Structures are given as structure tokens and as C-alpha cells.
Amino acid sequence: MVKTKQLVIVVHLCSFLVVLYSLSMIPPLLMALLYKEKSIFSFFYTLVIAASVGGLGWFSSRQSKVQLRTQDGFLIIVLFWLLFSIISALPLWLDDTLNISLVDAMFEGVSGITTTGASVLNDVSSVPKSFLYYRAQLNFVGGLGVIVLAVAVLPLLGIGGAKLYQSEMPGPFKEERLTPRLADTAKNLWLIYLGLGLLCTLAYRLVGMPWFDALCHALSTVSLGGFSTRNESLGYFDSAPIELVGGVFSVLAAINFTLFFVAVSRRSLKPLLRNPELRFFLLILSIIVAIVVIELYRSGMYGLKDALVHGFFLTSSMMTDNGLATADYAKTPTNAILLLLGASFFGGCVGSTCGGIKALRFLIMYKVSRHEVNQLVHPNAIFTIKVGDASVHDRVLRSVWSFFFLYVLFSCLFVWALNLMGYDMMTAFATVAACINNMGLGFGETAAGFGTLSDPAKWLMCAAMLLGRLEIYPILILCSRTFWRF
């Protein structure tokens, strides 16, 4: 049975995180005040409700200094992301101008905070500016995870945050730190993240995008979230430089943030150039870009110059699970779309804001497969699997293959469930790829948006988005009997 003391600790931390997240309602509230929009009340009510509930839980569960256990970290992460999603949906549901149902508000909120970028709004361009900013902010805050931000202040509470950090960060090497102190690690990650967001905003503005659009698209781009201020996404601007900025920053955001930190601290690009995962990611990205460009040109959809620009942007956006699109995305040849939907499962590097399985896992699986071929040819030889100069332990190998199996299994189950609900196989596959990979671009019936999905399908895809964002294991652990016997 779960010990009462540990449950109180879980409530205490979840309440603190809810209070912390309630403060994120202040910027969109000020934006509504600036543009004199009625949505100010929706953000204000959400701020009051979240802060009150979180504050009540916080003060009623205060404890002396304790150290979180692994089980506590997993439980807090899952519970908070559920609360995270509900709070994110509240302003959307409470606002009369949007006039959307609870399930639509939940879908939009979960999509935003998991950096999926799939939208059920029919006419994004007519949405009040405060909500356009709010959607971009959801992407940005969810990108690196509010949990990592919270780790920076958890030492002040007398509660160590290592278990939270390990549960939240993606990838098989969760114990790596940038600095000896975990709080410093979280601060450095956020500084890098904020710096990249600022650079992206300036880049969008320099190539002709208005300031408001530049800010919102930059928040969505560096978080690989994909929410846009326009129905046509970046295609609205019909600008090659804007698409190039979107593509370049999508690739930058898909790089392990620890590499940026090391490169800056050493004032050298060598950590980036020598990283095997990054080289592998860029190799696969280059191959897919080349194939898509050829298909766009061969199909007659674009001339060579436009095919190069659109091919690079669309591949960068979908493979990194960003989800920003060109205006005529739905007209892209089906074979190219299928390749890009498959590439969305690949994702970017671990330690980035991308979704999907991630390049490092594919690199390890490739090396294991090559090792198995060599072992069959030379049965008595002893081979060691390495990534760069580091040997990969059996524990990591088991974790990678297990995760890959579960990811494919759940993807197939979601596709089957949508197909059972009456959706054709192409729509089902594209919708699941968009949601579980946190990529946000569908195809078939969901090419123009996800508002056409039935309510049960929307709830199902909310689960898929959360499962993909948390990388499956934290949720499965909570469903196991072993967990509840600690």
C-alpha cells in the first residue's frame, strides 16, 4: 500500500507546481488587457482558481525536509501533467468568444502543452490575439517542461528534485547533468531555451514577419510546438526566407540542449561536430530532405528553387515534430507525406524539445543490428557496442528495444482504435502519427484540422499526446501492481 506520508509529499509538490503554473496566466492576461479583449476574464478566473486550489493544497500538506523517491517522481510527473492539461484548457473553455466544448478545450490545451500543435479551431485567424499568444506560450512552456523549471527552485523547498528531473527528461541517459548541481542544470537549460527563442523572434522579424506573429511563431518553433497565428500556418506569408528561418530553427531546436551548453562554455563547435547522435540525425535529415525535394519537383508541384525551399522546410518541420506547414501542405504527393509521417517517428535528438522515438535510440538499434550481423558471421568474436567513445551497457540496450516495442505497439493500437471508429487507414495513421509523436500535422480527414474528429476520438488522441510526451514508461509504471506495493 502507498504510505500516507509519501502521498502527502506528492500532494505538497503537485500543489506547488500548480501554483507555479498558475502564474503563466499573467502574460496572456496582460496581452488581453493590451488589446482590450474580453478574454482577460478567462485568464483571470483560471489564475484565481489554479492559485487557490494549489495554495490550499500547498499549505495543508507542509512537511519537514524529505527526499523524493523514484516512485514519487513518476507519480508527481503523471499527476501534474494531468493537472497541467486541465488548467491549460480552462481559459479556452471559459471564454464565450471561442464557444468551444469541454472536449475541444481539453484537446487544444493538451495539444499546446505537449507541443503537439494539433488544433480543433476552425478559423485560427479570427481568434483573439491574447489566445493566439496563449497557444504559443503553451507550446513554449511545455517544450522543455515546467518540471525542469521547478527543479531550479525545489532546493529552496527542502525537497530534492533529482527524481522529478529524471522522470521528465527524454531519452535513455536520464542521469546526465550539465553541472554538478541539478538546480544549475535546470537554470542553464532554460537560459539556452530562452536565448534560442529570442534569436528566432529576431530572425522572423528581420525576414519580414510582424512583431506579434514573429513572437508567437518563435515560441512555437523553438518548442517544436507548431501552433500558428494563421490558418495557413507559415504558408500564409508566402515567403521563402520565412520558411528557411522556420526550417533552420526547427533543426536547431531538435539538437540536444546540453550540446549547446557545452559548446558555449568551451567556446568551441567541436562538441556539436563530434557528437555521434547529432551527426546521425543530420545524415538522416539530409537524406529525407533530398527525397522530398525530388518528389516535389518530379510531381510538378514546384519548380526546382521552390521545391528546395518547401522540401527543406516541410521535412525539417515534420521530422523534428514541429508541425508548422506550408499553405498547400495537403496537396503534397501522398508518397512524400507517408515518408514524412514515418520520419516524425524518428524525431530529433534526446535532450531537445522534439517528440518521437529520437535519433539516439535509432542509432543504438542500428548498431545493435549491425553487431548481430557481425556476430553471426564471426560467432566467436567479441564485439562491443559503442556510441562515440562510450560503450553502451546492456541495461540501456534493453531499455531502448523495450521502448521501441512499446511505442510501436501503442501506435498500432491507436491506429486500430481510430479505424474501428470509422476512419480510413490513411487518416487513422496520420492522426496517430501527429498525436503520439507530438507533431500536429494530420492527413486525410485531419489535413485541415482535427475538429472533424468525434469526441471519443479526441479523448483518445489526448491520451496519445500525453503518452508520447511522457515517453510511455511513467504512465505504464503507475498502472503496474509493483508500483503500488512500495
Side-chain angles (χ1 to χ4, degrees), residues 107 117-121 323 325 329-330 337 341 418 423-435 439-454 457-458 461:
F107 187 95
S119 181
V120 295
L121 300 178
Y329 154 77
I337 286 294
L341 289 172
L418 285 183
Y423 297 97
D424 63 88
M425 190 56 69
M426 185 63 188
T427 296
F429 172 69
T431 302
V432 171
C435 293
M439 183 265 294
L441 285 176
F443 198 64
E445 293 183 34
T446 55
F450 292 75
T452 57
L453 293 175
S454 64
K458 289 173 185 174
M461 290 302 98

Side-chain angles (χ1 to χ4, degrees), residues 170-214:
F173 303 132
K174 296 176 183 285
E175 292 78 12
E176 293 183 358
R177 301 182 184 183
L178 306 183
T179 55
R181 294 181 65 240
L182 193 56
D184 291 338
T185 295
K187 291 173 185 175
N188 286 321
L189 285 172
W190 270 95
L191 285 174
I192 294 168
Y193 193 49
L194 289 170
L196 196 61
L198 177 61
L199 288 175
C200 189
T201 303
L202 294 175
Y204 274 133
R205 182 67 188 96
L206 287 174
V207 293
M209 193 180 283
W211 274 114
F212 179 80
D213 293 288

Side-chain angles (χ1 to χ4, degrees), residues 15-37:
S15 299
F16 164 73
L17 294 171
V18 167
V19 172
L20 184 67
Y21 185 54
S22 70
L23 300 179
S24 69
M25 297 298 146
I26 296 177
L29 188 152
L30 295 176
M31 192 71 71
L33 187 64
L34 175 65
Y35 288 103
K36 299 178 181 180
E37 295 171 346

Side-chain angles (χ1 to χ4, degrees), residues 286-352:
S286 300
I287 293 172
I288 297 178
V289 167
I291 295 173
V292 172
V293 168
I294 291 171
E295 285 301 307
L296 291 177
Y297 177 72
R298 189 181 65 84
S299 67
M301 187 174 179
Y302 298 115
L304 181 59
K305 180 182 176 181
D306 288 338
L308 286 168
V309 173
H310 294 311
F312 167 70
F313 166 67
L314 198 56
T315 303
S316 300
S317 180
M318 291 187 70
M319 183 169 165
T320 62
D321 299 312
N322 188 343
L324 292 171
T326 56
D328 50 1
Y329 154 77
K331 299 178 182 177
T332 304
T334 304
N335 55 347
I337 286 294
L338 281 172
L339 176 63
L340 292 173
L341 289 172
S344 70
F345 285 88
F346 186 90
C349 302
V350 299
S352 70

Side-chain angles (χ1 to χ4, degrees), residues 46 57 148 182 190 248 250 296 298 304 392-393 413 448-449 470-471:
T46 303
V148 180
L182 193 56
W190 270 95
V248 168
S250 292
L296 291 177
R298 189 181 65 84
L304 181 59
V392 182
H393 300 296
L413 288 175
L470 294 177
E471 295 204 332

